[in-house]
Each structure stands twice: as structure tokens, then as C-alpha cells.
Amino acid sequence: MSSTLNTIYDAVLVGDMKTTSENVQKALDENVAVEDILNKGLISAMSEVGSRFEAGDYFIPEMLIAARAMSAGMEIIKPLLVGAGVEPIGKVAIGTVKGDLHDIGKNLVGMMMEGAGFEIMDLGVDVTPEQFVEAIKNGADIIAMSALLTTTMPSIETTIKAIEDANLRDSVHVLAGGAPVTQEFVDKIGADGYAADASAAARKAQELLGKD
Amino acid sequence: MTERTANCLAKLDRMNKALRHEEPDRVPVSDFFWGNFLKRWRDEKELPEDTDIYAYYDLDWIVTVPNMDPHIKNFEIIREDAEEVLVRTGFEAVIRKKFADPMPEYVSFDTDTIEKAEAFEFDDPADDRRFFSAGDNQVAGVGDGFALNSPPWIETVKSLRPDFPVYGSQCEANEYMTRIIGGGNLLLWAGLYPEQFGHFVQRTNEWALEMLKAQIKAADGLIDGMVIWGDVAYRKDMFFHPDYWRKYYKPGLQAMVDVCHENNLPVIYHGCGNVKRIFEDFIEIGIEAYNPLESKAGLDVVDLRRKYGHQIAFCGNMDVIEWADYDKEQLKAVVLRKLNAAKGGGMIFQSDHSVPSNVSAENYEYVVNLVREYGQYPLQLGEHDIPDL
């Protein structure tokens, strides 16, 4: 790997936005393929961030500043990706379910999924089943739902029902997570996947689309 | 001094013995409740709207909340209709409260840069209005419900004191951070500006300590303990590295606990999430009991008792999801297993956070009655007894 790509990788790992941006531009100036900047520099670094987070060596602040650095790098190469034929590995519509206004967990998951190469449609908080259905019609491959309260968990099941009623269940994968959510609950309500944290959610999304 | 009933004094003795790891007459039981649960409970039991659950079940302790807002001022109602209200509070945050939903949404925070945080000024922590005047305050007024003009804290204490052990409240730094700068910036700034943010945390805890001292003085002997509200963890782990917490948060918490102990007030510390990495720190700090011990965060009172013995008491850990979903046989097995951690005292039975509306009135009452029956000392837990505890 080129030394510039190594520098990008290391900069993202420690959340150094300035060094990331500078070296992404430097890599472009050096005619490094934009796909390599994305995959070997940025996404690869975020994958390591995720691993460290899951291992308990990185915490949320480290993950946030790494994602911030990665986003800065992405801003530079994004306009070039389409021209280079590089597409997102999938589209994820993410939101906190109806009745729930918590967004930090959802935002973290969105960041890690973006870091893994997904295009994110952030539907926000208090998202109705109908809004999730609309997102599927707008091309979402995965619906990722977050609930932080036991009282709002039932909205996850309600949303799955709405997707089924719209005859769209077979065209989307459903991921669910949040503090009270468990694998057992997810299995019971017929979702496709559960993740205990943001990094695991990104990995699960890749797995669901066969991109792991 | 407000006169207390014999029953209240018995409850106080029960609580204090439990917190001192002595066996009282029975395991104390109380809880925190979501508003939607209380509504369901009243509806299902066909009780009047003003029925107080603490009185109904004669629960063993209750917590009160003075005005802890950094800026003492009335809410500024920006917009209000039948469904929601948009309000600016004394934390200089704009909050949207939909009345039908359990939690409010933070729309914006005035303190949105680290420079503004460094310049943030707090009102007098010992201002008498915090304790002796009615008024709006965010911690009491905008959360699960929405309330304007909360009554004077001292009057609330006096009204409860005849019948309940009454605890005061003090928020420590992270409770202030989530309300002044928001959870997002709290986590980001801990990464981007660790020292500057850490100093704001320290400054906040120093201010909170002065408020705590003033609260104790204002109570003038009328409170029986203190709840210190934290929150430095979530389901999986701590929000940030434990060493960061130890450097910037722990000293402030230690100082608060020391002041409480100097005034003979036991401390129940409330901190959600998985705090296993720093549980020994809480023991070292000397808090009497830890709350709420979320089951979803992998905490279990039986395991904790096995690991830590009677170095700390437990307040919580009844899984609210099980409380909602389990049948009576399953609930009995769960409750009696958890009561093993109450051998030798050291336990107050409560939910692992707050009782939500998923829990039926029937299930709630069933569990309370189980604790009342099987929590009598000496404990007789039958097939659910764990001999090595």
C-alpha cells in the first residue's frame, strides 16, 4: 500500500481530520485510484476502528472522531466516485422508531455504516412505519430501526407489519437495535438481524447484503 | 420537625439496615415509574387519576428533586398546542415535549461550541429559590411529563416525610452535560477536546458540590439520604475510557459522597448501563448502593454479590422486560433468585430502571407482593435458594 494511503489510514484511526483531508488530496494528486483511497484508506481504517470498539479498546469518542475524519476524506472523493464507477455497497434507511426521540445510537450506527461503504438515508427520530415503507420504495436495501425505550420497542414490530402489508418485505432486510432490544426479541418479531453496537450493526448490514 | 408515623420510622429502619448490610424485617421495595405506566396502572385497577402509587403500595422510600437548573428562570414557552410544547429552559436548551411520548427531544443547545462551554456561567448554587420557591425547573418539569411551576422542594419534602423515607437529589456532571451541550457533543468533545471538556466537567462538578451542600443545609435534617444521578455508561460499556472518567469525573463524585457522609446521609448512586469497568471505583468512593443495575447491560445482583460480597448494596436489577412478559411462575423464579442477593441485607428491590407501560398492573403488583412475602427475613427461598450466597 502506498505510504500516503497508510497515512490516511493512520489519520482516520486517531481521528485526525486535517491529516486525513490533506492526504486524501495528496493521494489524488499522486493518481492513486479513488477506489483505493476509499477502500484501502478510509473504509479499511473505519473497519479497524470498529474492531477496536468491539474489542473494548476504543470508546464512543474515539469512534466519533474517526468517523469525522473519514467523512472529511469522503467529502473530497465523493464527487469522483461516480465517475470512477464506485458505488455504495448498499442503501440503508435508518431511523429511531415512532414515539422515540433518541438519536445518538442511531447516529453512531449511521456513521459506522457510512464508514463501511453504505449510503445512508437518515430518517431521523419518531419515524412512522409509513416513512420506513416510503424509504424502501425510494431504494433502501436495508431498514435499520433503533429503539431506546421498552415502551417504544413495539414500534419495531409495527413497522415490520407495515412493510409486510405493503408487500415489500421480500425486497428489504430489516435490522433492529437499541438498549432494550435483544436477539430474542428480533427473532420473535421476524426481523433479519440484530446488532448490539454500531460497529456490529455495520458488519451485520454487510453480511445481510453478502458484502462481508 | 415534621412528625413521622410509626410505619414511616419502620420503613426508615428497614432502608438503613439494608444499606448497612444488616437484615431488617424484610427487603425494602420501591421504584421509579414512567408516567405511561402509572396511567395504565390506574386504568387497569380502576383507580382515581390522583392515586399515588407510593402510598397505595406503601413503598419504602421516595426521591425528591430540587431546582438544579444552571440558570434559575421560568421556562420560555416558544410554541404550544394540544399535542406538544417547545420550551427553552434554564439549561439554555430548546426542548420539544410531545405530551403523548415518554421522553422529550432536545432541539438545540445554546452551548454548542467548546468555547461557549468554557465561558458558561452558572447561577448561584446556593440560591434559596432552588429549595424554597416554586418555579419552573427542567429536571423536575421536562422529562417523562411536563410541569410548570414545580412546588417548592422543601414543601415536597415536608409533605412526604411523615410517611416515607425521603431522599434528596443531586445531578453530577454528565447529567448536566447531556442537558447543557447534548449527548452528541458530550461524546464528540471528549474525543476532540479531552482536556477542555474535562475541565468543564470538573467545573460543573465543583458547582454541583456547592449546590449539594446548600441542599443539605436547606433540608435542615428533613432528608434521609441522597440520590446522586450520573449516567456514564450505556448497554455495552462506558461512554468513554474509564481513565477519562477517573481523571475528570470521579474526584467530583467523591467530594459529593464525602459531604453526604459528613452529614450522615447514605448515598444511592444512579447510573445506567454497563459500569462493570468502574464498579470497584464506586465501592472505593463509598456509595451505599448502586442503582439501577440494568439487566440489559449484563448486570445481575446475584453475580455482583458473589463477586463483591457486601462491599456495596444494590438498588434495582429487576428486568422490566421480564416483568412485562413473564408469567407468574417465571416471575416468581426470577424474583426469588434475585432475593438471594439480599441475604445479609444490602438490597433494595426495584426495577432495573423505571417501570414502563409494558408492565401490567397485575404483574407489577404480583412482584411487589412476592418481595413482601419472600423478602421477609430470615429469607426462605426454597428451590430458588443459592447455597453459596
Side-chain angles (χ1 to χ4, degrees):
Chain A
M1 194 155 78
S2 83
S3 69
T4 307
L5 287 180
N6 279 330
T7 304
I8 293 169
Y9 179 97
D10 290 341
V12 169
L13 216 53
V14 298
D16 185 343
M17 190 168 78
K18 184 167 177 288
T19 304
T20 301
S21 300
E22 285 172 356
N23 281 272
V24 165
Q25 187 58 57
K26 183 165 180 262
L28 288 171
D29 295 341
E30 290 169 354
N31 294 318
V32 176
V34 69
E35 188 170 346
D36 285 348
I37 297 172
L38 175 68
N39 290 323
K40 293 180 183 175
L42 300 173
I43 290 180
S44 183
M46 283 306 292
S47 177
E48 176 61 17
V49 167
S51 296
R52 293 186 187 190
F53 176 76
E54 287 186 67
D57 297 326
Y58 267 24
F59 294 79
I60 296 175
E62 288 82 11
M63 197 161 74
L64 282 175
I65 62 175
R68 186 172 167 269
M70 195 239 177
S71 288
M74 282 293 291
E75 276 309 299
I76 298 171
I77 64 170
K78 211 176 258 187
L80 306 172
L81 289 172
V82 173
V86 179
E87 293 184 351
I89 62 173
K91 200 184 244 191
V92 180
I94 189 166
T96 306
V97 296
K98 179 100 181 84
D100 202 320
L101 300 174
H102 294 90
D103 66 351
I104 293 177
K106 166 193 71 74
N107 293 345
L108 285 169
V109 170
M111 276 181 222
M112 291 307 288
M113 286 190 173
E114 195 164 43
F118 287 96
E119 180 186 335
I120 301 299
M121 299 160 62
D122 189 342
L123 304 178
V125 298
D126 195 23
V127 181
T128 64
E130 293 73 30
Q131 286 173 289
F132 280 113
V133 167
E134 195 61 30
I136 300 169
K137 293 176 180 173
N138 288 332
D141 301 300
I142 295 175
I143 295 291
M145 289 186 276
S146 170
L148 196 79
L149 304 172
T150 51
T151 48
T152 56
M153 272 167 69
S155 295
I156 300 175
E157 187 171 12
T158 310
T159 301
I160 292 175
K161 180 79 175 43
I163 296 170
E164 287 168 350
D165 290 345
N167 294 317
L168 292 171
R169 186 63 184 93
D170 291 338
S171 55
V172 75
H173 299 279
V174 176
L175 261 181
V181 181
T182 60
Q183 184 69 61
E184 190 187 342
F185 173 76
V186 158
D187 291 341
K188 184 176 129 193
I189 64 170
D192 299 304
Y194 159 75
D197 61 58
S199 174
R203 279 195 297 104
K204 191 68 187 177
Q206 289 172 309
E207 184 190 310
L208 286 174
L209 294 186
K211 306 284 185 182
D212 51 338
Chain B
M1 191 72 72
T2 316
E3 193 143 341
R4 310 183 94 164
T5 64
N7 182 46
C8 175
L9 292 172
K11 288 197 274 193
L12 185 60
D13 183 64
R14 185 176 300 136
M15 284 287 292
N16 286 338
K17 279 187 170 148
L19 291 171
R20 289 196 304 261
H21 303 274
E22 299 168 20
E23 290 188 351
D25 58 346
R26 60 169 172 77
V27 177
V29 58
S30 188
D31 228 304
F32 308 132
F33 304 96
W34 288 104
N36 284 344
F37 164 75
L38 293 174
K39 183 177 184 313
R40 178 179 181 179
W41 173 73
R42 291 178 188 121
D43 288 346
E44 288 181 356
K45 291 184 68 67
E46 296 178 355
L47 296 169
E49 246 181 64
D50 61 351
T51 307
D52 175 58
I53 197 167
Y54 290 92
Y56 188 90
Y57 291 111
D58 194 27
L59 296 176
D60 283 306
W61 73 286
I62 195 164
V63 69
T64 59
V65 179
N67 186 337
M68 295 184 278
D69 288 12
H71 301 154
I72 302 173
K73 60 191 221 182
N74 286 336
F75 295 155
E76 177 195 336
I77 306 290
I78 299 169
R79 187 182 74 234
E80 186 173 10
D81 57 36
E83 290 179 359
E84 64 179 50
V85 62
L86 194 68
V87 61
R88 174 189 296 282
T89 70
F91 283 79
E92 308 308 337
V94 174
I95 301 175
R96 177 175 162 235
K97 174 65 188 173
K98 291 173 78 172
F99 302 123
D101 290 344
M103 290 296 287
E105 176 191 2
Y106 282 90
V107 174
S108 65
F109 302 91
D110 281 13
T111 313
D112 54 4
T113 67
I114 191 66
E115 292 78 18
K116 288 180 185 174
E118 288 178 309
F120 189 90
E121 290 186 1
F122 295 89
D123 283 353
D124 181 2
D127 191 314
D128 275 353
R129 288 176 294 170
R130 297 185 182 283
F131 315 111
F132 298 103
S133 298
D136 299 340
N137 81 77
Q138 181 180 322
V139 176
V142 191
D144 182 18
F146 180 74
L148 292 169
N149 204 31
S150 297
W153 172 73
I154 198 65
E155 298 306 321
T156 301
V157 170
K158 286 178 181 173
S159 71
L160 295 168
R161 187 181 154 79
D163 300 302
F164 297 97
V166 179
Y167 276 50
S169 287
Q170 183 56 57
C171 288
E172 54 121 344
N174 244 29
E175 288 291 322
Y176 282 101
M177 294 301 113
T178 56
R179 292 173 172 88
I180 297 174
I181 67 173
N185 272 345
L186 181 171
L187 296 167
L188 180 62
W189 291 356
L192 275 183
Y193 320 112
E195 279 192 27
Q196 289 163 282
F197 177 64
H199 291 149
F200 185 42
V201 165
Q202 288 174 320
R203 191 161 67 87
T204 302
N205 264 347
E206 285 162 6
W207 174 79
L209 175 65
E210 295 310 309
M211 191 189 311
L212 175 72
K213 291 177 186 173
Q215 182 183 165
I216 293 171
K217 186 178 172 195
D220 194 23
L222 295 183
I223 56 174
D224 303 296
M226 189 67 66
V227 175
I228 298 179
W229 304 87
D231 271 5
V232 295
Y234 64 112
R235 178 177 173 169
K236 174 184 179 286
D237 206 336
M238 292 183 66
F239 289 135
F240 30 70
H241 199 287
D243 287 346
Y244 191 83
W245 176 82
R246 288 183 183 113
K247 182 173 181 179
Y248 291 112
Y249 288 79
K250 184 179 176 180
L253 175 59
Q254 180 75 72
M256 289 184 212
V257 173
D258 289 345
V259 163
C260 289
H261 288 167
E262 285 161 15
N263 288 275
N264 297 313
L265 295 172
V267 175
I268 296 175
Y269 179 87
H270 173 95
C272 299
N274 180 357
V275 289
K276 287 178 186 172
R277 289 183 194 255
I278 56 172
F279 207 74
E280 289 182 26
D281 293 80
F282 287 111
I283 293 173
E284 180 195 320
I285 286 170
I287 59 168
E288 270 66 28
Y290 199 95
N291 168 269
L293 300 167
E294 291 192 275
S295 292
K296 65 178 81 70
L299 298 172
D300 173 63
V301 282
V302 169
D303 293 341
L304 290 169
R305 182 67 75 214
R306 204 173 257 133
K307 183 168 182 177
Y308 296 109
H310 280 275
Q311 296 185 79
I312 189 167
F314 307 130
C315 179
N317 196 234
M318 176 63 196
D319 188 333
V320 292
I321 297 172
E322 292 176 352
W323 207 331
D325 292 347
Y326 277 11
D327 61 31
K328 287 190 166 55
E329 196 178 321
Q330 289 171 310
L331 283 173
K332 185 175 178 183
V334 167
V335 169
L336 266 62
R337 178 182 172 277
K338 290 202 186 290
L339 286 177
N340 279 280
K343 291 178 184 174
M347 182 163 166
I348 300 164
F349 191 97
Q350 298 198 183
S351 70
D352 69 340
H353 192 288
S354 307
V355 184
S357 60
N358 313 55
V359 177
S360 66
E362 183 181 355
N363 275 17
Y364 176 76
E365 189 163 301
Y366 179 68
V367 166
V368 169
N369 288 338
L370 278 174
V371 176
R372 291 253 159 89
E373 181 181 351
Y374 291 95
Q376 302 270 351
Y377 287 99
L379 300 180
Q380 304 285 342
L381 303 174
E383 63 179 304
H384 303 287
D385 182 71
I386 300 173
D388 71 318
L389 263 193

